[in-house]
Amino acid sequence: MADVYTMDDLISREVLDAGAAKPARLAVMGWPIAHSASPRMHQAALDAAGIAARYVRLEVAPGRVGEALVRMRELGFIGCNVTVPHKFEVMAACEVVDDAAQVLGAVNTVSFEAAQTRGSNTDGPGFVRAIADEFGVALGQLRVVVLGAGGGAGQALAAQCAMQGVRRLALVNRTLEKLLPLAARLHAQAPDCEILTLALDDPALAETCRAGDLIVNASSVGLKPGAPSILPASSLKAGQLVYDCIYQSTPLLEQAAARGCRTADGRSMLIHQGALAFQRWFPGSEPLAVMRAAVAGES
Ligand code: ATR
């Protein structure tokens, strides 16, 4: 597995590629970054496609994202993925940002095109594909409840739901105030979508959740072992779809499965957003199966 690189390594090709058989041409940038699953997935896809390049982890402090993009471009990088906490800072650092990424309010994929540095977002479309894959339904057909809708990931997913034509969207957050600007923005974007906002301790939460077809956890609750489920069990009913963006089983998913819900964790979204990013850099490639195997630990 590739080591973690820092801004000091983005000085020259000699420094960056010292001792490596293939040149670093792609990266995932975050702070911290050591935990990222992206290198494993993308390196497997690069190797399978016969592309002589390394995908590395890049640790970039907040405030230095623009500088990192300039240096990567100078060093001949093809692109990079962007993760927490840089998905907003990078938007301002790109010369062009795709319309969909602007609507989602975040960039997770950068392409160093000949004329410009372009920002796009594959998290939202990756989520749409993950729901179709896991549950065999189109997101736009569902009434959706987004837990953690005030966080960075939750805002992007909520905007994607509105973009897909979801008829009823319940935005839930511990801190209610964070939902108000989002709700106003989504209402302007999708006037036909019924938008509700609730705090996690709202007495109507359980009923609102039970009225949804799909409940999505986009909060960080469930990441730390031992934490209780983000929802009381009475919020769930048999047959509902429950998706947790966390890449492993969580107390919410266990509770939902026990209540007869259909559940899935965030690995499918990880794989789909990764495959869509790879296809932006390498149009015509088909990296999905290889990436899926790499995440499952088969390569
Ligand atoms: P980001 O920087 O993307 O906003 P974050 O601060 O980890 O990431 O928060 C992500 C989401 O998880 C937010 O919706 C956050 O709720 P608040 O907006 O109220 O902070 C939610 N979250 C984090 N810890 C939580 C907890 N213990 N209980 C409920 N929600 C929590």
Side-chain angles (χ1 to χ4, degrees), residues 89-104:
E89 188 180 337
V90 76
M91 275 188 88
C94 290
E95 283 148 352
V96 192
V97 174
D98 288 349
D99 290 348
Q102 293 198 17
V103 173
L104 299 187

Side-chain angles (χ1 to χ4, degrees), residues 179-258:
L179 296 177
L180 304 180
L182 173 68
R185 194 158 62 83
L186 297 188
H187 182 67
Q189 255 167 42
D192 294 338
C193 177
E194 183 190 347
I195 296 171
L196 313 172
T197 54
L198 287 92
L200 260 181
D201 59 3
D202 192 309
L205 178 70
E207 197 188 329
T208 304
C209 288
R210 282 199 306 269
D213 305 307
L214 169 69
I215 296 176
V216 183
N217 178 36
S219 83
S220 48
V221 182
L223 207 49
K224 284 195 206 132
S229 169
I230 188 168
L231 285 182
S234 60
S235 308
L236 300 167
K237 70 169 198 240
Q240 266 182 319
L241 311 178
V242 180
Y243 192 87
D244 201 318
C245 297
I246 293 173
Y247 304 153
Q248 66 204 16
S249 187
T250 61
L252 170 67
L253 293 183
E254 285 162 21
Q255 179 190 45

Side-chain angles (χ1 to χ4, degrees), residues 84-85 88 147-155 172-176 178-179 200 217-221 223-224 230:
V84 180
F88 314 104
L147 309 172
Q155 294 204 22
V172 181
N173 209 50
R174 175 178 57 181
T175 319
L176 184 65
K178 287 199 196 167
L179 296 177
L200 260 181
N217 178 36
S219 83
S220 48
V221 182
L223 207 49
K224 284 195 206 132
I230 188 168

Side-chain angles (χ1 to χ4, degrees), residues 40-130:
R40 174 184 192 169
M41 211 166 62
H42 282 280
Q43 193 63 54
L46 286 168
D47 295 347
I51 300 166
R54 268 183 311 139
Y55 182 109
V56 301
R57 294 179 171 84
L58 197 59
E59 188 176 68
V60 176
R64 298 193 73 184
V65 170
E67 189 188 342
L69 289 190
V70 169
R71 291 211 208 165
M72 274 190 262
R73 190 178 179 92
E74 282 169 4
L75 289 173
F77 273 68
I78 297 163
C80 69
N81 285 130
V82 185
T83 187
V84 180
H86 296 325
K87 291 187 186 186
F88 314 104
E89 188 180 337
V90 76
M91 275 188 88
C94 290
E95 283 148 352
V96 192
V97 174
D98 288 349
D99 290 348
Q102 293 198 17
V103 173
L104 299 187
V107 159
N108 78 324
T109 302
V110 173
S111 308
F112 297 109
E113 297 178 349
Q116 60 214 355
T117 296
R118 175 182 296 276
S120 35
N121 188 309
T122 66
D123 285 330
F127 173 62
V128 175
R129 289 181 184 210

